[in-house]
Amino acid sequence: MSESADALRKSWLAMLAHERRASPNTLRAYGDDVARFIGFQAAHVGGAVTAKALARLKPADIRAFISSRRSEGLGAGGVQRAMAAVRSFYKFLAREGILEN
């Protein structure tokens, strides 16, 4: 069974806190951004988001998330931070051998 995206997010945040010594504000902001990303993808693809579901996402799915955040009023800086968080999350997953996307 594939691990849930939320469990993977928690592992990633723990790594950021311990290995990267990210500030509490960074952890909160990045954690919120990736939680929103996972929540959006659950609605977008219609189902639970697991490691397998994350691996199957296409660039169009990422663009849909960005468009959604922009329509909610998120500015350019917020979108950049959200994308930095998602990139960091995916790099962590790839480095841990969980997925490659």
Side-chain angles (χ1 to χ4, degrees):
M1 186 167 124
S2 187
E3 197 168 358
S4 78
D6 193 54
L8 295 170
R9 181 183 70 87
K10 289 176 183 173
S11 296
W12 166 69
L13 287 171
M15 181 278 302
L16 287 177
H18 298 294
E19 292 179 20
R20 301 277 172 93
R21 300 185 194 277
S23 75
N25 288 338
T26 298
L27 292 172
R28 181 192 48 75
Y30 271 32
D32 289 349
D33 287 333
V34 172
R36 287 180 192 266
F37 173 74
I38 292 167
F40 173 82
Q41 294 305 335
H44 183 67
V45 299
V49 180
T50 62
K52 287 182 181 182
L54 289 171
R56 286 192 304 261
L57 292 180
K58 304 289 184 224
D61 299 315
I62 308 294
R63 285 191 295 273
F65 170 68
I66 295 168
S67 295
S68 170
R69 296 295 288 141
R70 293 288 293 175
S71 71
E72 294 170 356
L74 190 64
V79 169
Q80 288 176 343
R81 187 198 65 223
M83 291 315 305
V86 171
R87 275 192 302 274
S88 174
F89 181 55
Y90 269 88
K91 285 179 184 177
F92 165 77
L93 296 175
R95 189 174 59 249
E96 295 296 312
I98 296 167
L99 63 87
E100 188 66 40
N101 188 335

